[in-house]
Every structure is written in structure tokens, then in C-alpha cells.
Amino acid sequence: MNAVPEIARRGIMLVVSSPSGAGKTTLTRNLLEQEENVGLSISVTTRARRASEIDGIHYRFITKRRFEAMRDGDELLEWAEVHGNYYGTPREPVETALGAGRDMLFDIDWQGTQQLYAKMRTDVVSVFVLPPSAAELRTRLERRAEDSGEVITRRLRNAAEEIPHWNEYDYVLVNRDLDKSFTRLRAILTAERLKRVLKPNLHSFVAELLADLRKIDG
Ligand code: 5GP
């Protein structure tokens, strides 16, 4: 028999949600840097760009009018209003990636996760990241000098609304230690990639294996 080829599979939609400041951005950035075959779903948003952000890399920053046109034209897989701004996931890049066996990472909130579950349940693997304590969450938000005091207060309030959704997720990470949380996030991705249901070609692979076994036996 020839060398065993990698068995083709459909891509995974790896959704990571958390309140702002729980460490999600660092975890997902590390994952993108260190894992092959994972792309980031770039959301569209109507929120103002932060100084550190690049259009087309962190988000595609668009007007409310354009957002509404995309939403009404069914160009978004999911969308939500968060902190008074609109955010949404463009459909086309996701469908292309999954069909090509490429995994996609989504940094979206619980509202978006619920919509993806409703539409694409077997494709979605979801992870919720919790901060180790309320005090630590506050400290982390304050350390991020880009946001004003008013924004920080709003984000803390929003955390209290986001956190109760933790039990709608497949996996939960309490982010006490970034390295440990990252190892766990990677382990989740590795295990999920091995799931039988993702590999339709396994049927023909196993059929061939059995046929070859019979020949050897024969
Ligand atoms: P930020 O403004 O801090 O970048 O993001 C605020 C929140 O919006 C975060 O919880 C983030 O996960 C969420 N978010 C970002 N993009 C999307 C999206 O496309 N859809 C949904 N539903 N939430 C998003």
C-alpha cells in the first residue's frame, strides 16, 4: 500500500468568547501564530477604530449604512450589537475556508455564538474564557490605556451580561495563567480536529483498508 495520505476534512469553526479583558485576544493571537491551517474571521464593525488597530486586519471598519446593507443582503453569518456598536461575520470567507478544510477562529460574543450554533451546529466548537476574578478583570482593563474610564465602566457592566452565558459553550477556560490556558486551547483544537464526523473520506479509507486486509488474508 502507498504512504497513508492525510484524510481530508472539513474545517472547524473555533469560537472564542469572553468579556473584554479576560485574555482572549492574547490567546487567539498566539493560536494564530503557532498553529498552521487556522485563519481569523475578520468581522465588520461600525465602532471607531482604536489607534492600535489596522483596517482589514483587526476588523473591517464600515459605516452603519454599509453594515445594514450587508445584513439585509444576507452577507453576514451572524451579527450583534455590542457596547452600542454593530459587529458581524462576513459569510463568504468562512464558507470558502471550511470547504477547503481550513479552520477558522472567531472572536465573537455570546449572541453571535448562538446564531452560529443555530445555523452550523456541527461545524462550531466553542470556548468561553473567564477571568480569574473580578478584581483582576478590572486591573487588566485599566492597564489597557487605550480606553477611557467611561469605556472601562461600560465594559465591566458588559462583562456581567456576558459571563452568565458561560454554560452555553462546549469548553470553559479560567484564565489564571496565560501559558496554561494557551496549552489547553491548543489541546481543544487538536482533539476537535480528530473528530470522526469531520472526515467524510474516512468511509472510503476504511473500506480500502479492509479490502487490503482481505487480500493479505486471502
Ligand atoms: P471590541 O470592541 O472590544 O473589539 O469587541 C467587543 C465585543 O464584540 C467582543 O466581545 C467581541 O468578541 C465582540 N465581537 C467582535 N466581532 C464580532 C462579530 O463579528 N460578531 C459578534 N457577535 N460579536 C463580535
Side-chain angles (χ1 to χ4, degrees):
M1 206 175 166
N2 297 331
V4 181
E6 265 297 318
I7 294 173
R9 66 170 174 87
R10 188 169 161 79
I12 292 167
M13 298 170 79
L14 182 65
V15 173
V16 183
S17 300
S18 78
S20 307
K24 171 183 58 177
T25 307
T26 312
L27 286 169
T28 54
R29 194 179 51 220
N30 289 352
L31 196 74
L32 289 165
E33 279 170 11
Q34 296 191 33
E35 279 288 337
E36 280 175 20
N37 199 42
V38 188
L40 178 67
S41 164
I42 316 262
S43 299
V44 288
T45 182
T46 61
R47 116 156 133 61
R49 186 177 65 80
R50 295 187 188 125
S52 62
E53 290 175 329
I54 301 168
D55 188 28
I57 292 192
H58 298 95
Y59 284 104
R60 270 169 56 207
F61 297 93
I62 60 174
T63 61
K64 195 165 173 223
R65 205 171 161 169
R66 174 81 188 110
F67 187 96
E68 285 165 351
M70 287 182 82
R71 182 194 61 194
D72 299 343
D74 203 27
E75 290 176 50
L76 300 178
L77 268 181
E78 62 75 32
W79 68 276
E81 191 178 340
V82 187
H83 306 136
N85 296 301
Y86 289 131
Y87 297 80
T89 301
R91 172 192 299 281
E92 195 277 326
V94 178
E95 290 181 345
T96 306
L98 297 190
R102 189 167 160 76
D103 302 320
M104 284 293 256
L105 183 62
F106 298 80
D107 174 344
I108 62 174
D109 80 333
W110 64 273
Q111 305 174 77
T113 308
Q114 283 190 352
Q115 293 170 53
L116 293 186
Y117 265 133
K119 280 189 189 155
M120 308 173 89
R121 180 64 188 97
T122 54
D123 291 318
V124 177
V125 176
S126 64
V127 182
F128 197 89
V129 183
L130 284 168
S133 67
E136 179 63 22
L137 185 69
R138 194 193 174 95
T139 309
R140 288 185 194 168
L141 284 175
E142 284 169 352
R143 240 187 274 139
R144 199 197 279 178
E146 278 191 89
D147 293 324
S148 66
E150 186 200 319
V151 171
I152 291 171
T153 307
R154 189 145 33 103
R155 283 175 190 271
L156 280 171
R157 243 176 248 148
N158 200 264
E161 285 172 24
E162 181 93 22
I163 288 173
H165 293 278
W166 68 277
N167 60 355
E168 295 160 19
Y169 285 71
D170 298 321
Y171 297 92
V172 177
L173 297 174
V174 180
N175 187 20
R176 293 193 180 84
D177 175 301
L178 204 57
D179 288 343
K180 266 197 191 128
S181 299
F182 179 60
T183 304
R184 290 173 180 167
L185 182 61
R186 252 184 132 165
I188 292 167
L189 180 60
T190 303
E192 290 289 341
R193 281 173 166 167
L194 293 168
K195 280 232 166 113
R196 171 178 48 79
V197 287
L198 292 176
K199 300 186 173 183
N201 295 0
L202 263 181
H203 291 280
S204 52
F205 172 76
V206 174
E208 197 185 327
L209 189 63
L210 287 172
D212 287 347
L213 266 180
R214 278 192 290 271
K215 271 185 231 153
I216 293 171
D217 197 29

